[in-house]
Amino acid sequence: DFCTRFFRALGQRLEMAPRAVVFHRHRSTTRDFFAQHWGYGRGHAYLYEKYRDELPWGWHETARVYRDLAVTLGRLAGAIPRSRLGAVDADELEFRYYDALRKLALRLGFAHESLARGRLTL
């Protein structure tokens, strides 16, 4: 929200800088990681409501996001038995786990905030 208002006030637009260096803090626990992405989901719901006319989002986009979550959860579920057979290494399994957790937290945070604000958008 701050970036949107800031760049509008300056008459500028935000662009990607592929060589930019970004510093961030990794969450130290799974719970903190989930909470961080839950908060991101809540923030997305807030921004969607505030900038509804500028952020096109319909049932197609909602279906795509939930389909992506289902595919991610399916990949995680498929990787677990293969990891026991040695076909999937621990790093890949960990990646799939945190990718699924991130997407799940985003959707749950978004849905929670949407419902709290009286919106049906999930």
Side-chain angles (χ1 to χ4, degrees):
D1 186 34
F2 172 78
C3 288
T4 300
R5 290 182 287 126
F6 179 77
F7 284 108
R8 279 185 182 163
L10 295 176
Q12 302 292 315
R13 52 188 216 124
L14 188 62
E15 292 187 22
M16 184 174 130
R19 294 176 39 144
V21 176
V22 178
F23 296 97
H24 58 92
R25 178 175 61 95
H26 291 279
R27 300 302 180 244
S28 59
T29 67
T30 301
R31 181 184 187 133
D32 289 346
F33 179 83
F34 185 89
Q36 176 185 17
H37 290 282
W38 170 281
Y40 289 163
R42 290 183 65 215
H44 291 167
Y46 169 78
L47 291 174
Y48 173 71
E49 184 175 329
K50 185 169 184 174
Y51 298 106
R52 181 175 289 265
D53 296 335
E54 300 171 47
L55 300 172
W57 190 271
W59 72 269
H60 285 97
E61 289 80 13
T62 300
R64 181 186 53 76
V65 168
Y66 280 103
R67 184 174 46 250
D68 180 52
L69 175 59
V71 167
T72 301
L73 291 170
R75 287 182 179 149
L76 172 61
I80 293 170
R82 292 183 312 136
S83 70
R84 293 184 182 136
L85 298 172
V88 173
D89 67 13
D91 289 341
E92 182 180 345
L93 186 60
E94 183 179 30
F95 170 79
R96 290 187 187 281
Y97 172 73
Y98 281 102
D99 191 37
L101 191 64
R102 176 183 63 82
K103 290 177 182 180
L104 181 62
L106 283 168
R107 292 316 315 152
L108 290 174
F110 187 94
H112 179 269
E113 189 65 21
S114 293
L115 293 172
R117 292 177 170 277
R119 297 285 185 188
L120 192 54
T121 305
L122 300 175

